[in-house]
């Protein structure tokens, strides 16, 4: 936005450096804000955003500084601080159909630590690649925490495939065998 016009020539500069204190990390997680507080004890505040409050709520990345004036008319500008944004997203692989009683390995990336739920059937609940033995269709949720402390979630739905149909073998003409439709075949001679 536009900055208000100020006559800097009329301000008396003094020998102090105001500070800015954030209420949390200088990294914005998706949907979060950082509150910046200028050092107390000044009669006026002017942030580089145009705000004239002693505090500033930041919801986007950028560099922020504040110009302060004390009761004697002395003014100074803080050292700028930079607020960064991070993207927290998880990628879950192995979203598929599995046979009842079979195991499948799940895999997630995008964070430093993980927590899976529900925990039933999982080989581990805090790893990035648990093995699951599926007995019923289940949707798993994984919560990941990034290096910046941002938390995000993802889901993976696993479905149980119906049991394979028992093949019916038909003998026709002494040397020709046929079977019902299947994904693959293994023939054995008894």
């Amino acid at each position: 936005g536009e900055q208000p016009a100020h006559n800097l020539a009329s301000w008396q500069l003094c020998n102090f450096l105001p500070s800015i204190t954030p209420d949390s990390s200088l990294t914005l997680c998706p949907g979060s804000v950082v509150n910046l507080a200028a050092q107390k004890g000044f009669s006026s505040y002017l942030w580089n955003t145009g705000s004239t409050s002693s505090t500033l709520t930041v919801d986007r990345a950028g560099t922020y500084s504040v110009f302060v004036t004390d009761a004697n008319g002395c003014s100074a500008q803080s050292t700028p601080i930079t607020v960064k944004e991070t993207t927290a997203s998880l990628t879950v692989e192995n979203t598929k159909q599995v046979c009842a009683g079979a195991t499948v390995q799940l895999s997630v990336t995008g964070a430093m630590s993980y927590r899976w739920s529900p925990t039933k059937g999982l080989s581990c609940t805090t790893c990035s690649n648990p093995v699951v033995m599926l007995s019923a269709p289940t949707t798993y949720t994984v919560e990941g925490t990034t290096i910046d402390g941002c938390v995000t979630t993802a889901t993976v739905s696993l479905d149980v495939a119906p049991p394979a149909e028992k093949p019916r073998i038909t003998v026709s003409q002494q040397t020709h065998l046929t079977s019902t439709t299947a994904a693959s075949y293994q023939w054995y001679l008894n």
Side-chain angles (χ1 to χ4, degrees):
E2 287 190 30
Q3 304 298 319
H6 295 283
N7 183 357
L8 293 178
S10 68
W11 291 358
Q12 178 185 359
L13 296 177
C14 300
N15 193 19
F16 59 83
L17 183 64
S19 62
I20 299 174
T21 305
D23 70 343
S24 60
S25 164
L26 290 175
T27 301
L28 285 169
C29 297
S32 70
V33 297
V34 174
N35 292 301
L36 304 177
Q39 182 178 337
K40 294 183 184 217
F42 295 100
S43 57
S44 70
Y45 299 85
L46 177 61
W47 292 88
N48 63 330
T49 62
S51 174
T52 56
S53 173
S54 64
T55 61
L56 182 68
T57 300
V58 174
D59 63 358
R60 64 186 64 164
T63 301
Y64 299 91
S65 62
V66 65
F67 196 84
V68 299
T69 303
D70 70 10
N72 298 320
C74 291
S75 300
Q77 185 171 358
S78 69
T79 301
I81 63 170
T82 301
V83 175
K84 299 177 192 171
E85 282 184 85
T86 187
T87 54
S89 66
L90 298 177
T91 302
V92 180
E93 297 175 10
N94 292 333
T95 56
K96 58 185 175 182
Q97 194 174 54
V98 295
C99 296
T103 60
V104 63
Q105 186 163 27
L106 303 177
S107 178
V108 63
T109 58
M112 285 202 38
S113 64
Y114 304 97
R115 187 173 59 211
W116 292 86
S117 64
T119 59
K120 183 179 180 183
L122 293 175
S123 63
C124 62
T125 60
T126 59
C127 62
S128 63
N129 55 353
V131 174
V132 60
M133 179 175 284
L134 205 60
S135 58
T138 306
T139 297
Y140 289 96
T141 300
V142 60
E143 179 180 272
T145 303
T146 68
I147 192 169
D148 300 314
C150 297
V151 177
T152 190
T153 60
T155 59
V156 57
S157 294
L158 298 177
D159 196 14
V160 176
E165 181 182 317
K166 186 174 182 179
R168 284 173 284 144
I169 300 174
T170 307
V171 178
S172 63
Q173 301 176 0
Q174 300 284 332
T175 59
H176 186 73
L177 300 176
T178 58
S179 177
T180 54
T181 304
S184 64
Y185 300 92
Q186 177 72 47
W187 293 90
Y188 296 97
L189 179 61
N190 287 344

